[in-house]
């Protein structure tokens, strides 16, 4: 992750935004009273989605279970988390 002083970031902001968006590499901007991180919007969205999914009780276990299931055992149906929870009870 790159580290830039705030003055350099101000001078080259559009170039830095383009670089972060294209390369997907966050940049730390060092200020006088603290630092900030500039990251691509798609990366921010992915982080938010991950945090949301992990906030749902049982979702992490459900994802792990799904990843461990061989594709041959999948029948292609989409079953909601709530329906799966009912069937397991």
């Amino acid at each position: 992750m790159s580290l830039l002083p705030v003055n350099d970031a101000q001078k080259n902001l559009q170039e830095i935004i383009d670089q972060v968006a294209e390369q997907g590499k966050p940049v730390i901007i060092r200020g006088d009273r603290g630092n900030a991180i500039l990251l691509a919007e798609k990366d921010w969205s992915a982080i938010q989605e991950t945090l949301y999914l992990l906030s749902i009780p049982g979702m992490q276990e459900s994802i792990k279970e799904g990843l461990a299931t061989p594709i041959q055992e999948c029948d292609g149906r989409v079953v909601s988390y709530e329906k799966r929870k009912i069937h397991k009870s």
Side-chain angles (χ1 to χ4, degrees):
M1 200 177 320
S2 300
L3 177 70
L4 290 175
V6 69
N7 292 337
D8 291 350
Q10 288 173 326
K11 291 175 191 172
N12 303 304
L13 186 58
Q14 186 61 58
E15 181 182 325
I16 296 166
I17 290 171
D18 293 343
Q19 180 182 7
V20 168
E22 290 169 10
Q23 297 178 5
K25 295 179 181 176
V27 173
I28 298 173
I29 300 172
R30 188 177 60 229
D32 293 333
R33 291 175 287 187
N35 298 337
I37 298 177
L38 177 66
L39 68 149
E41 182 180 12
K42 66 179 182 169
D43 295 333
W44 175 251
S45 295
I47 290 167
Q48 292 300 306
E49 183 176 355
T50 299
L51 291 173
Y52 169 72
L53 290 173
L54 292 177
S55 73
I56 299 170
M59 183 60 77
Q60 187 171 4
E61 292 77 17
S62 179
I63 291 170
K64 286 180 184 179
E65 182 182 313
L67 290 171
T69 303
I71 194 74
Q72 297 83 2
E73 293 180 21
C74 298
D75 61 11
R77 291 181 300 128
V78 176
V79 179
S80 73
Y81 173 73
E82 289 302 316
K83 286 184 181 177
R84 289 184 58 151
K85 192 171 150 183
I86 292 168
H87 291 315
K88 286 186 172 187
S89 298

